[in-house]
Amino acid sequence: MDELALRGRQVLITGATNGIGLAAAEALAARGANVAMVGRAESRTKAAKALVEAGAAPGVVVSTHLADLSSQAAVRKLAAEVLARYGKLDVLVNNAGAMYTTRQVSVDGIELTWAVNHLAPFLFTKLLLDRLKASPPARIITTASGAHLGATIPFDDLNAERSYRGFGRYKETKLANILFTSELARRLEGSNVTAHSFHPGFVASGFNRNNGLLMDMAMLLLRPMSRNVQKGAETLVWLVTSPDVVRSNGRYYVDMQARLPSPEAQDIATARRLWEISEAQCAGVLSRHERGS
Ligand SMILES: NC(=O)c1ccc[n+]([C@@H]2O[C@H](COP(=O)([O-])OP(=O)(O)OC[C@H]3O[C@@H](n4cnc5c(N)ncnc54)[C@H](OP(=O)(O)O)[C@@H]3O)[C@@H](O)[C@H]2O)c1
């Protein structure tokens, strides 16, 4: 595999404290990229940084930022920090994500899976877009999932108030990741910034370990069927480094191959509608904050 010269390139990864994001941060720092790691807990973020630094190539700068991405105020604060700190941003990796078996709402009143998995990367990317455009050729990579298959976006129940099933909701957000990427790519045409999404495979990470003992045990039982985090991060690392990828903007990848996602994920009208509704959701949260309610 041909690789871009990573030395001096600035990569920012959310969900970098564990699993796929941490493995990707380690691999990229080992190859010479400067890695900015976003975590939400200070101790886990510090520990992850130490791991990445231990294997980093000489001269690599590893930095950290703290943000609970379920809060849009935290996403905005994080974006402001990133803009103040990095004059150029070559690669943004929207990787943080989770599933919740019971319905919860964020501090903004948004159903939590939607807030973390979809609205956070949507808002964060939009806030960083001008900096990415000023760092050509830049890439935006979003960790989606094969779990999007069979899902549709519930436009009439976006906050999952009428019906909530943990895995079903997770599937919707992963479909949203792919639709977001394809609409973003259309909006980026001619800008020298490209957008890509991928499925990492079934990975033995911390995923679904936040849902109680039963789920914890289920994930342990499934471990023999899963791949390790390094393998799970392989396509992500490839999307950061491959010179070929920039020629196909907006696509979805599995094991370093472009694949067609589900028919719903290919629907341009749905992607546009989701974009507009997501903008309205973010604007709604902002205006509630500004009014202090
Ligand atoms: N594992 C799989 O089989 C699989 C398959 C397909 C797609 N994916 C996707 O892969 C991505 C990474 O997941 P993973 O498997 O590596 O799971 P993981 O080990 O649980 O890692 C998830 C990362 O996201 C962070 N995160 C979760 N909620 C957050 C929040 N509210 N604010 C900030 N950070 C938050 C976690 O931080 P903490 O350390 O603070 O918890 C952690 O760093 C997710 O988008 C997931 O949907 C995973």
Side-chain angles (χ1 to χ4, degrees):
M1 179 174 64
D2 251 352
E3 286 181 7
L4 292 176
L6 275 178
R7 189 155 293 280
R9 286 173 70 82
Q10 183 63 56
V11 180
L12 185 142
I13 307 178
T14 68
T17 49
N18 202 44
I20 296 157
L22 174 56
E26 288 185 281
L28 291 165
R31 293 181 197 194
N34 293 330
V35 178
M37 305 169 68
V38 179
R40 66 180 153 164
E42 195 169 359
S43 56
R44 285 199 295 279
T45 309
K46 233 174 149 175
K49 181 186 187 215
L51 274 177
V52 173
E53 277 178 336
V60 158
V61 180
V62 181
S63 48
T64 58
H65 299 269
L66 291 178
D68 181 338
L69 299 170
S70 67
S71 152
Q72 295 210 354
V75 172
R76 289 180 188 279
K77 184 168 170 277
L78 171 66
E81 256 176 55
V82 168
L83 292 174
R85 177 140 183 194
Y86 310 101
K88 98 185 161 74
L89 184 58
D90 300 291
V91 184
L92 166 62
V93 181
N94 291 310
N95 166 74
M99 180 176 84
Y100 306 95
T101 47
T102 55
R103 184 178 184 278
Q104 298 167 57
V105 288
S106 71
V107 286
D108 303 317
I110 309 268
E111 187 283 315
L112 196 58
T113 334
W114 192 256
V116 175
N117 294 8
H118 170 59
L119 281 188
F122 175 82
L123 178 62
F124 193 43
T125 303
K126 284 195 65 183
L127 293 168
L128 298 181
L129 216 46
D130 285 343
R131 184 59 45 87
L132 288 152
K133 285 180 182 167
S135 321
R139 300 174 189 197
I140 300 160
I141 300 162
T142 300
T143 309
S145 173
H148 79 278
L149 289 165
T152 53
I153 301 294
F155 286 108
D156 60 344
D157 188 23
L158 264 193
N159 220 20
E161 278 155 8
R162 284 207 303 276
S163 129
Y164 186 88
R165 283 173 305 115
F167 189 53
R169 184 56 168 173
Y170 174 73
K171 285 164 69 71
E172 291 164 6
T173 63
K174 293 289 125 179
L175 170 61
N177 290 156
I178 301 173
L179 290 165
F180 159 67
T181 297
S182 67
E183 180 64 21
L184 177 63
R186 279 185 285 280
R187 287 169 187 251
L188 285 170
E189 257 165 41
S191 72
N192 218 353
V193 182
T194 54
H196 317 275
S197 68
F198 76 102
H199 168 54
F202 179 50
V203 184
S205 62
F207 184 76
N208 199 20
R209 307 297 289 266
N210 56 307
N211 288 311
L213 194 60
L214 220 60
M215 284 296 169
D216 215 12
M217 280 164 55
M219 294 312 279
L220 275 178
L221 286 173
L222 288 170
R223 207 163 258 262
M225 270 84 85
S226 57
R227 41 177 73 175
N228 64 30
V229 290
Q230 287 74 25
K231 181 77 183 159
E234 202 173 64
T235 300
L236 170 43
V237 172
W238 176 80
L239 284 169
V240 174
T241 56
S242 163
D244 301 329
V245 124
V246 289
R247 288 193 278 276
S248 52
N249 196 6
R251 299 204 69 177
Y252 169 72
Y253 292 83
V254 182
D255 288 337
M256 298 179 279
Q257 303 283 327
R259 294 271 178 83
L260 283 180
S262 69
E264 289 79 3
Q266 294 175 53
D267 192 277
I268 292 177
T270 306
R272 193 178 308 123
R273 186 175 177 199
L274 176 66
W275 186 281
E276 285 162 5
I277 282 186
S278 307
E279 271 185 334
Q281 283 191 299
C282 294
V285 170
L286 185 61
S287 80
R288 282 200 297 280
H289 280 169
E290 284 170 348
R291 287 198 313 269
S293 56

